[in-house]
Each structure stands twice: as structure tokens, then as C-alpha cells.
Amino acid sequence: MIKLPQCPICKTTIAGELARQSEFLPFCSERCRRVDFFRWFDGKYAIEEPLGPLQLAEEAEKLEQRRDEL
Ligand SMILES: [Zn+2]
């Protein structure tokens, strides 16, 4: 028996129509994909390890790019 994939955010089983909307995989929808992104974002900045000025500039630039994509 094939185990159907589940959205890691809302646990919706991804099958049929959802599976065909492959642009959001492994998530069921754009909403869940964004939720995952912001969870990652929060986790990253919860790490209490100071970044150097150069790293901060690089991270800020990456985040700007990501925000434009969303
Ligand atoms: Zn979902």
C-alpha cells in the first residue's frame, strides 16, 4: 500500500487534486508553504549566536529577495 504524502504544516493528505498542484509540494498550498517559511525564519533568529556585520548584511539581502518572492 502506497503511503500518501501529508502536508507537514496542516497534515492534509496530499492526493488527487492537491498532488497535481505540484508547485507547492511538499506543502498542500501556498499558505502552508509560507507558514513553513516563517517558522524557519523565527527559528533562525532564535539562535543566540551573534552574526558579524558582513553576515548580517548578507542575511538581510537574502531576506529581501525571499520577501519579494512571496
Ligand atoms: Zn497544508
Side-chain angles (χ1 to χ4, degrees), residues 33-45:
R33 192 172 62 172
R34 287 190 191 195
V35 169
D36 185 71
F37 172 72
F38 283 112
R39 280 186 185 175
W40 172 86
F41 181 91
D42 288 344
K44 190 181 179 77
Y45 284 86

Side-chain angles (χ1 to χ4, degrees), residues 58-70:
E58 282 177 5
E59 292 300 315
E61 200 172 274
K62 275 186 226 162
L63 285 173
E64 281 295 319
Q65 287 168 358
R66 291 298 294 265
R67 204 168 59 186
D68 288 345
E69 287 169 17
L70 292 176

